[in-house]
């Protein structure tokens, strides 16, 4: 067991070391730096992004609507036609992710393709492709939902809470 | 022993060299996007695709590193057997590309991690090995690959998102340099080893800002230690600060009365055309490797540049600590080179 005095000595060494590190005063003035870095950073083109997101989000919705109408025309009841429509959009997003086109569109479209189910499909497919070389089980299978996992978790949690509230009311 | 140290060290962080340690030979291997950039003529090998006939991007990166090592040796008629030590590093976990390359070369090996500062960190260590009389030839190699680094540090390659305007593109490529005692080529004149500096950046896209603090610190210290001013050098070259970081570095030094803007460039700003959509420029170990070992080395050999201060900067963060909210420590090492 260590004597109390030894322990005290060690504490002193550590304290002395912490106080007398090399010249730790940075050359840059940190206040100046924090202010200046925000000025130097290029600003995101907000209006451009909003308009493009609106246009691309609209295009995704139109494609969805076309398929919805198609399924209804083919004889599905209106309430049940939604699910196959979503499936088609997911399939299309996954397909163009596989062709390596989605990320290029997303760079321009931003939230326009990230917010609809296309963004979800892309995040799953991108991870699946990225980790296919690590094998089916430890790669694709386990990494697939790394990005999308939280969408599922919080989606389910939200649905549960809302369901609970609506059941009570 | 104490006396010996006093003699060789200069100031707080610098080491002047007494022997002539030259950059005998260099080689660069570039990825597809870099091969379409403005410096394409200066690369030894240009690849048209990302995976280079390998079955994974990690293998492709190690393959490029191997190629650059063999090329740099072959240019001056050396073989791995002639090299005393091999120093290498890259961006990946466990510096795996460097390890795979070292396995093939079978030269006594130091694996180092300095993130994007690997080039000068390795060159400093190699130079000191030669200066100390422990080696005649030291080989240094470093590499980075967009598709291996992006998925480790950020998102998978096919994931669609809008990177902020200050983000940088990880460069695909590899470079190697043979350091030799005596011999032809630009010689290392002095070394300044940097401290780790952390200005408190927590955004992993904003590496340029984080590293600019370290770059300014090391350049300032180099001038203090060597009693020089910026006009002493024909060129002051930083590693991969990009558009944002290089601006901050210049302004931080100007605040300290060192005006470097007239003879200063950043490797990250040189590697791509503006239409190549790389936002603030290139980053990664290969940025300085491609630009310095390819373009600038060529200009030094041709006597277009005589005195160059090479400062490569590394952001020493890990994806885990960034997620935990830890700020990004950065380091920069400077190497003064003269023809």
């Amino acid at each position: 067991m260590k004597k109390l005095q030894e322990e005290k000595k060690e504490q002193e060494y550590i304290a002395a070391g912490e106080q007398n590190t090399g010249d730790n005063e940075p050359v840059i003035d940190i206040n100046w730096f924090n202010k200046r870095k925000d000025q130097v950073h290029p600003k995101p083109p907000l209006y451009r992004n909003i308009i493009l997101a609106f246009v691309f989000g609209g295009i995704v919705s139109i494609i969805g609507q076309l398929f919805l109408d198609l399924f209804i025309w083919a004889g599905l009841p209106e309430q049940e036609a939604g699910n196959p429509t979503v499936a088609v959009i997911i399939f299309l997003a996954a397909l163009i992710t596989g062709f390596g086109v989605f990320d290029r569109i997303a760079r321009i479209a931003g939230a326009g393709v990230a917010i609809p189910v296309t963004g979800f499909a892309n995040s799953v497919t991108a991870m699946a492709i990225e980790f296919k070389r690590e094998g089916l089980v430890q790669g694709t299978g386990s990494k697939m939902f790394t990005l999308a996992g939280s969408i599922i978790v919080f989606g389910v949690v939200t649905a549960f809470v809302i369901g609970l509230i609506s059941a009570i009311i | 022993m104490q006396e010996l140290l006093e003699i060789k060290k200069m100031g707080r962080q610098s080491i002047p060299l007494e022997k002539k340690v030259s950059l005998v030979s260099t080689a660069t291997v570039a990825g597809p996007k870099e091969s379409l950039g403005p410096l394409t003529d200066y690369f030894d090998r240009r690849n048209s695709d990302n995976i280079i006939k390998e079955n994974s991007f990690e293998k492709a990166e190690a393959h490029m590193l191997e190629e650059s090592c063999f090329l740099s040796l072959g240019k001056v008629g050396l073989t791995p057997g002639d090299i005393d030590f091999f120093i290498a590093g890259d961006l990946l976990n466990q510096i795996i590309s460097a390890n795979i390359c070292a396995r093939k070369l079978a030269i006594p090996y130091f694996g180092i991690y300095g993130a994007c500062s690997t080039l000068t960190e390795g060159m400093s260590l190699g130079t000191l090995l030669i200066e100390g009389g422990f080696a005649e030839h030291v080989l240094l190699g470093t590499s980075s690959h967009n598709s291996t680094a992006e998925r480790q540090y950020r998102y998978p390659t096919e994931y669609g998102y809008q990177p902020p305007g200050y983000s940088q593109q990880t460069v695909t490529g590899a470079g190697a340099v043979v350091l030799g005692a005596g011999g032809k080529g630009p010689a290392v004149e002095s070394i300044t080893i940097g401290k780790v500096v952390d200005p408190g950046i927590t955004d992993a896209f904003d590496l340029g800002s984080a590293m600019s603090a370290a770059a300014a610190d090391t350049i300032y210290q180099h001038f203090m230690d060597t009693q020089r001013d910026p006009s002493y050098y024909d060129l002051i070259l930083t590693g991969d600060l990009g558009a944002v970081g290089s601006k901050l570095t210049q302004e931080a030094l100007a605040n300290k009365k060192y005006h470097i803007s007239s003879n200063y460039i950043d490797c990250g700003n040189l590697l791509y055309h503006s239409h190549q959509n790389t936002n603030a420029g290139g980053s990664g170990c290969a940025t300085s490797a491609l630009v310095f070992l390819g373009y600038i080395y060529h200009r030094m050999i041709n006597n277009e540049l005589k005195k160059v201060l090479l400062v490569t900067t590394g952001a020493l963060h890990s994806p885990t600590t960034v997620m935990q909210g830890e700020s990004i420590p950065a380091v920069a090492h400077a190497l003064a080179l003269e023809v």
Side-chain angles (χ1 to χ4, degrees):
Chain A
M1 213 176 109
K2 263 187 226 165
K3 282 179 194 157
L4 205 68
Q5 216 167 10
E6 271 179 38
E7 217 166 90
K8 209 176 161 194
K9 201 87 199 161
E10 285 171 3
Q11 294 272 338
E12 272 173 32
Y13 291 150
I14 294 166
E18 277 178 352
Q19 269 180 18
N20 298 308
T21 49
D23 177 18
N24 241 353
E25 193 67 30
V27 164
I28 55 153
D29 175 2
I30 211 81
N31 291 328
W32 169 83
F33 179 83
N34 282 332
K35 214 166 74 192
R36 189 69 188 126
K37 82 170 197 311
D38 293 335
Q39 294 166 349
V40 172
H41 280 172
K43 301 273 169 296
L46 197 62
Y47 293 108
R48 184 176 156 272
N49 284 351
I50 289 172
I51 293 165
L52 283 171
F54 178 78
V55 171
F56 277 88
I59 293 171
V60 173
S61 307
I62 290 168
I63 296 170
Q65 187 64 48
L66 286 175
F67 278 102
L68 189 74
D69 291 347
L70 186 75
F71 286 123
I72 293 168
W73 175 79
L76 272 180
E78 202 173 331
Q79 279 186 324
E80 282 169 33
N83 285 339
T85 307
V86 172
V88 168
I89 297 293
I90 289 177
F91 172 76
L92 288 177
L95 191 72
I96 62 169
T97 301
F99 285 132
V101 182
F102 191 96
D103 58 324
R104 285 179 217 178
I105 298 173
R107 269 197 168 221
I108 304 162
V113 293
I115 301 293
V117 76
T118 44
F120 178 81
N122 166 250
S123 71
V124 175
T125 322
M127 284 305 267
I129 297 169
E130 191 73 39
F131 287 92
K132 74 166 196 270
R133 296 188 178 91
E134 281 73 12
L136 271 178
V137 177
Q138 293 201 315
T140 302
S142 77
K143 301 277 188 194
M144 213 164 159
F145 293 101
T146 316
L147 289 172
S150 52
I151 304 174
I152 298 171
V153 170
F154 293 112
V156 170
V157 169
T158 315
F160 174 76
V161 172
I162 300 291
L164 211 62
I165 291 169
S166 75
I168 293 167
I169 298 169
Chain B
M1 281 308 272
Q2 188 62 32
E3 232 170 283
L4 203 71
L5 263 176
E6 295 288 335
I7 293 167
K8 289 216 173 182
K9 215 175 138 191
M10 177 169 59
R12 174 87 178 91
Q13 289 168 233
S14 302
I15 305 160
L17 294 190
E18 286 162 10
K19 290 185 193 162
K20 187 173 188 255
V21 180
S22 339
L23 282 63
V24 180
S25 158
T26 66
T28 48
V29 179
K33 197 161 186 168
E34 294 67 27
S35 301
L36 296 172
L39 298 182
T40 181
D41 293 342
Y42 296 97
F43 305 141
D44 293 305
R45 285 192 75 122
R46 290 172 282 273
N47 288 297
S48 52
D49 69 285
N50 254 330
I51 196 152
I52 321 172
K53 298 192 187 87
E54 297 285 345
N55 56 22
S56 77
F57 294 120
E58 283 74 9
K59 278 188 183 163
E61 182 178 342
H63 180 84
M64 288 195 299
L65 186 55
E66 283 165 17
E67 271 189 347
S68 66
C69 287
F70 286 127
L71 273 172
S72 67
L73 292 174
K75 279 184 184 180
V76 283
L78 293 168
T79 60
D82 302 320
I83 303 297
D84 298 299
F85 296 102
F86 175 49
I87 304 175
D90 59 89
L91 289 177
L92 300 186
N93 289 338
Q94 291 83 36
I95 51 168
I96 189 62
S97 311
N99 296 343
I100 290 173
C101 176
R103 175 175 73 189
K104 189 151 190 178
L105 287 168
I107 305 169
Y109 163 62
F110 293 106
I112 57 170
Y113 185 81
C116 325
S117 71
T118 306
L119 183 69
T120 45
E121 184 181 0
M123 279 166 73
S124 306
L125 293 170
T127 305
L128 294 178
L129 280 169
I130 296 172
E131 169 85 5
F134 303 107
E136 194 189 350
H137 287 113
V138 175
L139 175 66
L140 168 86
T142 185
S143 65
S144 60
H145 193 302
N146 184 280
S147 302
T148 60
E150 286 294 321
R151 80 161 171 179
Q152 184 183 309
Y153 288 97
R154 293 179 192 122
Y155 296 115
T157 36
E158 296 303 332
Y159 181 60
Y161 68 106
Q162 282 178 319
Y166 50 84
S167 69
Q168 289 165 267
Q169 159 109 12
T170 308
V171 172
T172 304
V177 52
V178 181
L179 299 166
K184 283 182 196 164
V188 182
E189 188 269 334
S190 62
I191 296 168
T192 303
I193 302 297
K195 303 188 293 253
V196 171
V197 177
D198 187 342
I201 304 278
T202 51
D203 179 357
F205 281 109
D206 195 12
L207 302 180
S209 302
M211 295 189 294
S212 71
D217 199 272
T218 302
I219 296 172
Y220 175 77
Q221 195 63 46
H222 178 81
F223 291 145
M224 293 291 279
D225 288 348
T226 56
Q227 308 277 313
R228 287 172 190 160
D229 58 78
S231 60
Y232 178 85
Y233 292 102
D234 297 329
L235 179 69
I236 296 168
L237 185 73
T238 52
D240 57 348
L241 296 174
V244 174
S246 55
K247 197 165 181 186
L248 283 170
T249 304
Q250 290 179 58
E251 290 182 7
L253 284 167
N255 287 349
K256 288 279 174 185
K257 307 275 181 289
Y258 286 116
H259 297 277
I260 60 170
S261 48
S262 60
N263 52 351
Y264 168 78
I265 46 174
D266 181 73
C267 297
N269 293 339
L270 286 182
L271 212 45
Y272 299 108
H273 291 296
S274 55
H275 63 78
Q276 284 182 299
N277 281 333
T278 54
N279 289 331
S283 77
C285 303
T287 320
S288 49
L290 290 179
V291 175
F292 176 75
L293 299 177
Y295 174 55
I296 303 294
Y297 183 80
H298 179 84
R299 289 189 62 185
M300 288 187 84
I301 293 281
N302 290 347
N303 274 324
E304 289 167 36
L305 293 167
K306 291 203 185 314
K307 294 186 172 118
V308 174
L309 184 68
L310 171 67
V311 188
T312 61
T313 49
L316 306 174
H317 66 297
S318 90
T320 313
T321 57
V322 166
M323 267 193 263
Q324 292 167 352
E326 181 76 61
S327 59
I328 298 167
V331 73
H333 307 294
L335 223 68
L337 299 146
E338 286 183 6
V339 181

